[in-house]
Amino acid sequence: MSKGNVILTIATLDHPQFGNIGQLVVEDNRPVMQGTMAIEIARFDVLLGLLSGPSPRPASVMLALHEHMKISSDGYLIPDNNSTYAIADVSWNIPVQ
């Protein structure tokens, strides 16, 4: 498992989506990856509620990709020009008080 910084934009859907739920774009000239994904409105509302309150530390998100990214033995991303990866699943770690 590797870590990285992502600006993640979340949109809503009226119906469940199967297969890819978004994409992650890695540009070799940018230090932050760009992600977009869509989730059902009810799940979005729950997520928004959880993120709206005070938190002892920042929330984190784990994106499961369909393809493996090239990672060094130290856990750093090895740039492969500009790459786009399909997001298969997402999980959240939201600290509560």
Side-chain angles (χ1 to χ4, degrees):
M1 177 172 58
S2 299
K3 295 181 181 181
N5 292 317
V6 178
I7 295 174
L8 183 62
T9 303
I10 304 170
T12 58
L13 293 171
D14 292 330
H15 53 81
Q17 182 173 341
F18 300 97
N20 298 341
I21 60 171
Q23 68 178 11
L24 180 69
V25 178
V26 180
E27 298 177 38
D28 57 356
N29 61 345
R30 295 191 62 161
V32 178
M33 297 173 270
Q34 302 288 320
T36 56
M37 60 178 279
I39 58 176
E40 295 173 50
I41 293 172
R43 292 177 190 254
F44 182 84
D45 290 342
V46 169
L47 177 62
L48 188 59
L50 291 169
L51 292 173
S52 295
S55 178
R57 59 190 181 280
S60 61
V61 62
M62 184 183 315
L63 301 175
L65 306 176
H66 278 288
E67 300 175 52
H68 291 284
M69 300 174 91
K70 294 181 182 178
I71 307 294
S72 72
S73 59
D74 296 329
Y76 293 103
L77 179 65
I78 300 171
D80 187 18
N81 294 324
N82 297 330
S83 303
T84 301
Y85 300 91
I87 299 173
D89 198 8
V90 61
S91 62
W92 308 94
N93 182 356
I94 302 172
V96 293
Q97 291 195 19

